[in-house]
Amino acid sequence: MATIGDVARVAGVSRSTASYALSGKRSISTEVRERVAAAVRELGYTPNAGARALATSQTMVIGLLAQFLRDEFAPAMMQYILGVSDSARELGYDILLVTEEDGTRALRRITDSRMVDGVVLLNVAEHDDRLDILRSAGQPGALVGLPGDPRGVDVFDLDFEATGRLMVERLHRLGHRELILVSQPEHVVERGGAYVWRLRNAAVEHARQRGITVHAVFGSSQQPHIGAELNALLDAHPDATGLLLNNEAAAAALPTVLHTRGLGSPGDLSVIGRYSDEFAKSFSLPFSFIESAPDRLGRMAVDHLVRRIEQSNEAVGGHVVRLVDPEFVDRGSVAAPRAAATGHGR
Amino acid sequence: MATIGDVARVAGVSRSTASYALSGKRSISTEVRERVAAAVRELGYTPNAGARALATSQTMVIGLLAQFLRDEFAPAMMQYILGVSDSARELGYDILLVTEEDGTRALRRITDSRMVDGVVLLNVAEHDDRLDILRSAGQPGALVGLPGDPRGVDVFDLDFEATGRLMVERLHRLGHRELILVSQPEHVVERGGAYVWRLRNAAVEHARQRGITVHAVFGSSQQPHIGAELNALLDAHPDATGLLLNNEAAAAALPTVLHTRGLGSPGDLSVIGRYSDEFAKSFSLPFSFIESAPDRLGRMAVDHLVRRIEQSNEAVGGHVVRLVDPEFVDRGSVAAPRAAATGHGR
DNA sequence: CTGAAAGCGCTTACAG
DNA sequence: CTGAAAGCGCTTACAG
């Protein structure tokens, strides 16, 4: 490979002049600039990234720590990764993808060895061991997922409490008085998946304030089981007119369950899910839902991270916790309950 | 951050001795080795990856070029990425993930700038522009997906021709005489997705040799359409007793289609799909299938790539095209057709 | 068994 | 507007 020394020699200038001609960091005569450009073309010169990183202390690489947890919907992770990767590239950064089981060790490795200028953590838990490592690292970090203690990092997440309230409010206004909420499995909560109880608690509390009932349960994340559970729930609560889903597997299983029971939506049951548009498309789900916006969250995290990397801390300001407002995507599965509309039970 | 100079000073040795003590590349007295180790612990020293890369010309990073094509099943990509990432880590390598739309430009960027020691290409097409770049790059490359011209690279893929034959043979032996094969959409073929016609042509040819009929069609990759198409196919070929699917969307839609028509499998219809175990689990598909083995292929590609990186070309030998034998995963959706078993049409 | 020195390929003050 | 030189943090022949 050609080096900048080769470029300099061919162009008949010094290495520093060649470097400045390429970076534009000081004024260069037109003639020299063109000679350098010609030499670059002739030699097919591309700067050595490692050498540049060593000289500038900037790698132009962002570390992306994905975490694949048991019983979480793995394909959904792809969306976050793409959001992060695509927006990083637009800003001139490449992505070092780390899928190691032991996230703390991996995080320490890539920050201590200065492989990256900053780090995005995915799937952050309520108490996440990676945060201590990150806070003592020399590089800034952005999280997707709200931890219990967000000090020293920038956080981006869907506002799951507002999501819970919105789901309940929407149905309450239409006259629903008895709802079912199916969350992720309980061990997702135990492992620190705080978004599960944030949505759940907010929904339950909001229902209480409105004086309506919500049967809140944890569902399985595997397809055969969750189908049976949904059936059992519908049997147990025949007067429920609304179904809220914070559980991808439940959403995927529901069409078959409804079909088997001969139920229509929203005719017999109003349904609101919480998942991504991409997920809805893959499974062609016919339900209205709250968009979980993985690409948008990934993008926000990267944008902010890059500002922290490139600007002074004073310019960027204090650390932020940015919770995205839930967006209701109407697919027509929500309506007034039969009981309220016609005066008959269903 | 502490440098090796700091370590040397604290340990009271020269930098070269500190370096050798860490790498073990020459014999060091026990006493010095321990002093260096203590200094490393005390300072929390980790070598600077960029500096090491510059000195050794080895980055310990593998570039992973994912390619997201319209109408291919995006979640499936995650499996390949995980296979590559996990096995790279086991061999001491990190992954630079590139999802850029313009794969050729991205490939040139990461190889020319020496950010990576080698490269894995995913979703390789029959005529793939990235191959020319790769062949003229200084780093070795491994492909997942068989291109028309595999010279100069190592290739790993499922044996799609054997897969087509196996699907047909399996049903032929049980007495099936009329089959339907649903492939990916035709524009996947046009774009260069050679695996589609490889499987299809082999299946058709094998059926011809066996003197049985196979209705080979291209299906949609979107859920509402493919469902309608499956229904139309079953209407058009009422005597077909076997259904072969080289199309993820078709597999995902089939349970509902069968249920709606009141058909059982294998009672009324034998079914064989081609997808990954992970996919089968996500959609809880009740069909026997040929495992597409994304994790295994990713692993094979990395193993071989690392050998090329670390050993001489003579030691590794000529470039390979490794086609994995199709593995039939029995989920009980294949049996003798009713007509053959009972003497009645269905 | 250990050290002084050169070199990897850049960038960027310092000098003119 | 341009050049000679130092330095980023490592590794590794060269010498002893």
Side-chain angles (χ1 to χ4, degrees):
Chain A
M1 278 315 270
T3 72
I4 197 159
D6 299 324
V7 172
R9 187 162 19 78
V10 169
V13 298
S14 72
R15 299 196 307 155
S16 58
T17 297
S19 177
Y20 283 120
L22 289 172
S23 69
K25 286 193 183 168
R26 77 179 184 193
S27 40
I28 299 281
S29 70
T30 317
E31 196 223 323
V32 165
R33 197 179 324 121
E34 281 170 2
R35 286 217 310 271
V36 170
V40 166
R41 267 195 307 277
E42 182 186 332
L43 298 167
Y45 169 73
T46 306
N48 179 302
R52 175 174 279 177
L54 186 56
T56 61
S57 313
Q58 281 236 321
T59 63
M60 300 308 285
V61 174
I62 288 174
L64 175 55
L65 274 93
Q67 203 161 217
F68 292 84
L69 300 170
R70 196 170 54 91
D71 284 323
E72 270 178 22
F73 189 70
M77 187 67 78
M78 197 70 244
Q79 296 299 115
Y80 289 95
I81 293 176
L82 274 175
V84 168
S85 173
D86 289 343
S87 45
R89 188 84 285 281
E90 287 168 22
L91 297 171
Y93 287 79
D94 277 298
I95 291 294
L96 195 80
L97 175 69
V98 178
T99 60
E100 214 169 330
E101 184 96 40
D102 185 347
T104 61
R105 206 178 59 157
L107 182 54
R108 202 184 322 243
R109 184 183 74 247
I110 67 171
T111 54
D112 282 358
S113 65
R114 308 267 134 180
M115 298 183 84
V116 298
D117 295 335
V119 142
V120 173
L121 303 193
L122 256 35
N123 222 335
V124 174
E126 176 76 2
H127 301 286
D128 200 310
D129 290 342
R130 300 176 299 178
L131 291 196
D132 289 329
I133 311 285
L134 183 54
R135 288 197 190 92
S136 60
Q139 296 97 325
L143 318 189
V144 176
L146 173 60
D149 176 6
R151 282 175 307 173
V153 293
D154 294 307
V155 174
F156 304 87
D157 204 354
L158 177 66
D159 189 336
F160 280 93
E161 300 187 346
T163 300
R165 287 191 295 270
L166 187 154
M167 286 174 150
V168 169
E169 181 63 22
R170 204 93 184 187
L171 294 186
H172 171 259
R173 283 219 190 130
L174 288 167
H176 294 261
R177 295 297 174 258
E178 185 176 346
L179 312 175
I180 299 172
L181 165 63
V182 180
S183 300
Q184 302 267 42
E186 192 150 18
H187 57 78
V188 170
V189 179
E190 285 157 12
R191 189 183 53 218
Y195 67 96
V196 177
W197 57 255
R198 279 207 202 91
L199 187 153
R200 177 184 156 111
N201 288 359
V204 167
E205 170 60 20
H206 195 74
R208 203 188 53 72
Q209 287 178 14
R210 293 285 184 260
I212 69 177
T213 304
V214 51
H215 306 288
V217 303
F218 300 102
S220 298
S221 61
Q222 288 290 338
Q223 206 67 281
H225 310 98
I226 185 65
E229 291 168 22
L230 287 172
N231 271 310
L233 277 170
L234 294 174
D235 287 340
H237 307 293
D239 294 332
T241 57
L243 182 56
L244 311 177
L245 302 175
N246 187 25
N247 179 323
E248 270 104 346
L254 188 59
T256 302
V257 170
L258 293 182
H259 185 265
T260 307
R261 299 176 73 94
L263 296 179
S265 176
D268 302 304
L269 196 65
S270 285
V271 178
I272 308 180
R274 196 276 314 153
Y275 41 74
S276 75
D277 184 53
E278 196 61 30
F279 179 82
K281 210 184 293 170
S282 287
F283 289 74
S284 63
L285 297 181
F287 310 118
S288 301
F289 63 100
I290 308 296
E291 168 66 56
S292 52
D295 45 353
R296 186 168 160 219
L297 287 167
R299 186 166 291 275
M300 289 172 70
V302 168
D303 284 349
H304 212 270
L305 179 65
V306 167
R307 288 180 57 208
R308 283 242 181 266
I309 290 171
E310 297 183 349
Q311 302 173 22
S312 70
N313 252 329
E314 300 78 60
V316 182
H319 289 284
V320 303
V321 173
R322 212 96 90 192
L323 299 184
V324 168
D325 284 338
E327 182 202 344
F328 182 84
V329 180
D330 192 348
R331 290 278 195 270
S333 68
V334 173
R338 283 240 173 97
T342 68
H344 303 302
R346 68 174 231 272
Chain B
M1 279 317 272
T3 71
I4 197 159
D6 300 323
V7 171
R9 188 162 18 77
V10 169
V13 296
S14 72
R15 300 197 306 156
S16 55
T17 299
S19 177
Y20 283 119
L22 290 172
S23 69
K25 287 193 181 168
R26 77 179 181 194
S27 39
I28 299 280
S29 70
T30 317
E31 195 223 322
V32 164
R33 196 180 323 124
E34 281 170 2
R35 287 217 310 272
V36 169
V40 165
R41 267 194 308 277
E42 181 186 332
L43 297 167
Y45 169 73
T46 308
N48 179 302
R52 176 174 279 177
L54 185 56
T56 62
S57 312
Q58 280 238 320
T59 64
M60 300 308 286
V61 174
I62 289 173
L64 174 56
L65 274 93
Q67 203 161 218
F68 292 85
L69 300 170
R70 195 170 55 90
D71 284 323
E72 270 179 22
F73 189 69
M77 187 67 79
M78 196 71 246
Q79 296 299 116
Y80 289 96
I81 293 177
L82 274 176
V84 169
S85 173
D86 288 343
S87 46
R89 187 84 285 282
E90 287 167 23
L91 297 172
Y93 287 79
D94 277 298
I95 290 294
L96 196 79
L97 175 69
V98 178
T99 60
E100 215 168 329
E101 183 95 43
D102 185 346
T104 62
R105 207 178 56 159
L107 182 54
R108 202 184 321 246
R109 184 181 74 247
I110 67 171
T111 53
D112 282 358
S113 66
R114 306 267 133 179
M115 298 182 83
V116 298
D117 294 336
V119 141
V120 173
L121 303 193
L122 257 34
N123 223 336
V124 173
E126 177 76 2
H127 301 286
D128 200 309
D129 290 341
R130 300 176 298 178
L131 290 196
D132 289 329
I133 311 284
L134 183 55
R135 289 198 189 91
S136 61
Q139 296 96 325
L143 319 188
V144 176
L146 173 60
D149 176 6
R151 281 176 306 172
V153 292
D154 294 307
V155 174
F156 304 87
D157 203 355
L158 178 66
D159 189 336
F160 280 93
E161 300 187 346
T163 300
R165 286 191 295 270
L166 187 154
M167 285 172 149
V168 169
E169 180 62 21
R170 204 92 184 186
L171 295 185
H172 171 259
R173 283 219 190 132
L174 288 166
H176 294 262
R177 294 297 173 261
E178 184 175 347
L179 311 175
I180 300 172
L181 165 62
V182 180
S183 299
Q184 302 268 40
E186 192 150 18
H187 56 78
V188 170
V189 179
E190 285 157 10
R191 189 183 54 218
Y195 66 96
V196 177
W197 57 256
R198 278 207 203 93
L199 187 152
R200 177 182 156 112
N201 289 358
V204 168
E205 170 60 18
H206 195 75
R208 201 188 55 72
Q209 288 178 12
R210 293 285 184 259
I212 69 177
T213 305
V214 51
H215 306 287
V217 303
F218 299 101
S220 299
S221 60
Q222 288 289 339
Q223 206 66 281
H225 310 97
I226 185 66
E229 291 168 22
L230 287 171
N231 270 309
L233 277 169
L234 294 174
D235 286 340
H237 306 294
D239 294 332
T241 56
L243 183 56
L244 310 177
L245 303 174
N246 187 23
N247 179 324
E248 270 102 348
L254 187 59
T256 302
V257 169
L258 292 183
H259 186 267
T260 308
R261 299 176 73 94
L263 295 180
S265 176
D268 301 303
L269 196 65
S270 284
V271 178
I272 307 180
R274 195 278 313 153
Y275 40 73
S276 75
D277 183 54
E278 196 61 30
F279 179 82
K281 210 184 290 172
S282 288
F283 289 76
S284 61
L285 298 181
F287 309 120
S288 300
F289 62 100
I290 307 296
E291 168 66 57
S292 54
D295 44 353
R296 185 169 160 218
L297 287 167
R299 187 166 289 276
M300 288 171 71
V302 168
D303 284 349
H304 212 270
L305 180 63
V306 167
R307 288 180 56 206
R308 282 243 181 267
I309 291 171
E310 298 183 349
Q311 302 174 21
S312 69
N313 253 329
E314 301 78 60
V316 182
H319 290 284
V320 303
V321 173
R322 212 96 89 193
L323 299 183
V324 168
D325 284 338
E327 182 201 344
F328 182 83
V329 180
D330 191 349
R331 290 276 196 271
S333 67
V334 173
R338 284 239 174 99
T342 68
H344 303 301
R346 64 174 234 272

